[in-house]
Amino acid sequence: MWSLFALLLGLVVGSFLNVVIHRIPRKESIAFPPSRCPHCGHPLGPLDLVPILSYLLLKGRCRYCRSPISPRYPLVEALTGGLFLLASRFYPPGVEALLVFAFLAFLVALSFLDLDTFELPDSLTYGLLFLGLLSAYLLSFPRPFAEALDGALIAAGVLGLVAGYGGLFLRRFREARAEVPVGPHQVHMAALFGALLGPGVGMALAFLTWALSARTGRPVVLPDRITLPLLPLAWLLAPYLGADLLSTLKGSFLAAGGLALAGGLYWAFKPQGETEEEPIAMGYGDVKLLGALGAWLGLYSLLALFLGVLFGALVGLAFRQRKIPFGPYLALGGIVAFFYGEALWRAYLAWLGL
């Protein structure tokens, strides 16, 4: 009965997620007005909203104007139902199961929004992040709070630096325009200072440059052409300077992740105007999403990143696409790591003979 309930609940939630996916890019309320046909605007009745079944009975067309209904609607419903059914196999009825359902629903919505718009809305990425941290703080689920916080910061820091190095290579080592008051430059500075002085000092110094930039209206930053080449050098020299390499790496990623997530939250409440586009390897929406996954997965978020890169590369090669939305593959990697991460890690260690 529990599995059947989870499946039916997933179908209903999937129907709601279709509304979220359709309306958020259009900046419409997800609550009002009630569901309506996107073509003719006619309100939909209860018989039009039965998950999957309505689509089949209506033969994929609107009852009122006979316009075609996108097959994405039953796909989202079926996918959400299947994921809730999977979760019911791991978690019995209770608060933990409901939290996992919410985790999966966020990832489904984010995936399809990224497929449609190449954007990951801050309301959903930060919603997923804060829900994971709140759950960890109140219930120590799915992991203790300290582990969830470290996981979020380290994951965001790792991908923020990947984006930084990728952008530097795409620009052929030309300096990027520094954002005021905060942007990727502060993230890269925080990583360098965190490696040399520890994550707390690294974040504090980067936040200081943020404050000075806001005060002066001009970027107070070190050039990427200095910070990004010096960072791996600091990692390599750490053992020779009496520091532990893992601690040095952790200091870099924690500091970078703190600045990436804090800076992203700042711009979420104070959107940027039109700016000149520069070559980028990865959007910061992906950084925020991986940070949110870190709050749920801890360091298994790095496994999610590896799987996301693998899945994305396979799809890109199969369809010969040079530009693909990374969010769906990160989400898929996150789901696999959430349910099977420990088993995959044990299998990998066994394969190594450890």
Side-chain angles (χ1 to χ4, degrees):
M1 285 298 294
W2 168 235
S3 295
L4 178 60
F5 172 80
L7 173 63
L8 295 176
L9 177 64
L11 293 175
V12 172
V13 170
S15 181
F16 171 71
L17 293 181
N18 277 318
V19 176
V20 172
I21 294 163
H22 178 76
R23 295 189 181 185
I24 281 185
R26 295 166 176 80
K27 302 187 185 304
E28 298 175 354
S29 168
I30 61 174
F32 300 101
S35 296
R36 60 192 187 275
C37 173
H39 300 286
C40 65
H42 194 287
L44 302 180
L47 295 179
D48 304 317
L49 297 172
V50 180
I52 299 180
L53 189 59
S54 290
Y55 181 87
L56 296 176
L57 292 176
L58 293 171
K59 298 180 179 179
R61 292 189 174 274
C62 172
R63 183 191 302 274
Y64 309 99
C65 68
R66 306 309 297 167
S67 296
I69 302 170
S70 171
R72 189 194 67 191
Y73 287 87
L75 174 61
V76 170
E77 293 162 355
L79 177 60
T80 310
L83 289 173
F84 279 30
L85 177 62
L86 173 66
S88 72
R89 301 292 186 178
F90 288 84
Y91 296 94
V95 175
E96 292 183 355
L98 293 178
L99 287 168
V100 175
F101 291 161
F103 167 73
L104 296 171
F106 269 100
L107 291 182
V108 171
L110 284 163
S111 296
F112 281 89
L113 281 165
D114 202 16
L115 286 170
D116 281 352
T117 65
F118 280 87
E119 291 183 1
L120 294 165
D122 289 326
S123 58
L124 296 184
T125 52
Y126 280 106
L128 182 61
L129 170 65
F130 292 135
L131 179 61
L133 293 177
L134 183 64
S135 174
Y137 181 75
L138 296 177
L139 304 173
S140 293
F141 175 82
R143 53 201 67 253
F145 179 72
E147 187 180 340
L149 182 59
D150 277 1
L153 296 181
I154 289 172
V158 168
L159 200 54
L161 289 173
V162 169
Y165 283 108
L168 188 65
F169 289 132
L170 282 178
R171 294 190 305 272
R172 298 179 182 179
F173 297 93
R174 288 184 292 104
E175 188 65 27
R177 179 187 56 83
E179 296 179 8
V180 178
V182 63
H185 280 77
Q186 277 92 348
V187 174
H188 308 153
M189 290 170 58
L192 179 60
F193 295 150
L196 297 173
L197 304 170
V201 177
M203 275 192 270
L205 290 174
F207 275 113
L208 176 61
T209 67
W210 178 348
L212 291 172
S213 295
R215 177 74 175 176
T216 63
R218 293 180 298 178
V220 180
V221 294
L222 292 175
D224 282 347
R225 287 180 294 183
I226 293 177
T227 54
L228 290 176
L230 281 180
L231 180 57
L233 183 62
W235 294 339
L236 290 172
L237 292 178
Y240 301 100
L241 299 176
D244 177 66
L245 176 59
L246 289 179
S247 297
T248 302
L249 289 170
K250 184 178 180 181
S252 288
F253 298 145
L254 285 172
L259 261 293
L261 293 177
L265 191 61
Y266 171 84
W267 289 117
F269 284 98
K270 188 174 181 179
Q272 295 170 285
E274 293 294 326
T275 58
E276 182 181 350
E277 291 190 5
E278 295 182 338
I280 58 171
M282 182 176 299
Y284 255 66
D286 299 315
V287 175
K288 299 167 197 172
L289 174 55
L290 189 64
L293 288 174
W296 290 85
L297 304 174
L299 291 182
Y300 282 120
S301 57
L302 301 182
L303 173 61
L305 174 59
F306 170 78
L307 293 173
V309 170
L310 177 62
F311 297 147
L314 291 175
V315 171
L317 289 172
F319 293 95
R320 298 184 179 181
Q321 292 179 316
R322 297 186 64 184
K323 181 181 179 182
I324 61 172
F326 191 37
Y329 306 106
L330 270 183
L332 178 57
I335 291 169
V336 173
F338 185 83
F339 290 114
Y340 302 106
E342 188 174 346
L344 289 172
W345 180 245
R346 286 201 304 265
Y348 176 68
L349 293 178
W351 180 68
L352 292 177
L354 299 175

